[in-house]
Amino acid sequence: MAWIMPIFVCCSTFGACNGSLFTSGRLAYVAAREGHMVEVISMVHVKRYTPFPALVFTSLVAIIMLIPGDFESLVNYFSFSAWLFYGGTVSALLVLRYREPDIYRPIKVPLFIPIVILICSVYLIIAPIIDEPAMAYLYAFLFIIAGLIFYFPFVHFRYHPKFMGKVTHFFQLLFEVAPSAYEVPEIGEDGKM
């Protein structure tokens, strides 16, 4: 009977890994589609209709993250970063629920769910730091904040270098991808689409 628990842990780990693989590529795809990343990542494969460049980009980032350290530190700092973003997302949901109570919401979540998730998020961010303080957590946080260096010129001010058109065309031919037919919906004054 001692073998049952390791089997369940393996199944749970495989399921979580499978979910992360499917969602991480799609998150990069949607971010690029909304103009927060380079245009080629928002394209789909012409035969398989999958976000192939986004999956390749996510895979390359994962490989680069494995190079400098061991797997344990990667898991620790990835979970720290992930829960930091989960907490930020849920905090934004709570702030918008308070500031904009009448805005259109396709899905309305009961208020106690985001509050519980926020409490769990704060715990999962602070507990590893208290348990085993390391400067690497500060480095991970500073690395995330350093993303603002790229955000302001390329997203906020919409600066597009001239050579990016050629780069996008090259990767379109290499990956056999084309822009998706999605268009960003317009949101009216009343907050409805």
Side-chain angles (χ1 to χ4, degrees):
M1 291 306 250
W3 56 272
I4 291 176
M5 192 55 95
I7 294 293
F8 286 139
V9 168
C10 288
C11 291
S12 175
T13 305
F14 178 75
C17 184
N18 189 30
S20 292
L21 287 173
F22 275 105
T23 58
S24 61
R26 270 72 180 171
L27 287 173
Y29 166 72
V30 170
R33 194 174 67 185
E34 298 293 325
H36 295 279
M37 298 180 88
V38 293
E39 182 182 7
V40 73
I41 296 176
S42 70
M43 298 185 183
V44 293
H45 196 273
V46 294
K47 294 177 184 159
R48 294 182 179 86
Y49 305 113
T50 57
F52 184 69
L55 296 171
V56 169
F57 172 75
T58 305
S59 300
L60 288 175
V61 168
I63 290 168
I64 290 168
M65 289 173 68
L66 280 173
I67 291 172
D70 59 340
F71 185 72
E72 182 180 349
S73 62
L74 175 67
V75 168
N76 287 339
Y77 304 128
F78 172 76
S79 64
F80 171 79
S81 302
W83 281 104
L84 195 65
F85 280 103
Y86 297 154
T89 303
V90 172
S91 298
L93 185 141
L94 292 170
V95 167
L96 283 175
R97 182 74 68 91
Y98 177 74
R99 287 188 185 167
E100 305 280 343
D102 299 326
I103 196 169
Y104 171 74
R105 290 178 175 83
I107 300 171
K108 196 165 185 176
V109 179
L111 202 55
F112 74 91
I113 293 175
I115 291 171
V116 169
I117 292 172
L118 182 61
I119 291 168
C120 292
S121 172
V122 169
Y123 173 76
L124 290 170
I125 292 169
I126 294 175
I129 296 171
I130 292 172
D131 182 45
E132 189 178 327
M135 286 299 289
Y137 290 113
L138 178 63
Y139 297 148
F141 179 73
L142 291 176
F143 185 75
I144 292 168
I145 296 300
L148 294 175
I149 295 169
F150 296 100
Y151 174 80
F152 281 109
F154 298 115
V155 177
H156 186 70
F157 295 117
R158 299 189 186 279
Y159 172 71
H160 298 288
K162 293 182 180 180
F163 69 88
M164 283 307 294
K166 293 179 182 177
V167 171
T168 300
H169 186 259
F170 171 77
F171 281 111
Q172 271 187 284
L173 294 174
L174 179 69
F175 292 145
E176 297 181 5
V177 294
S180 64
Y182 175 81
E183 291 185 24
V184 180
E186 296 289 327
I187 299 176
E189 294 291 325
D190 58 354
K192 294 187 179 183
M193 292 185 196

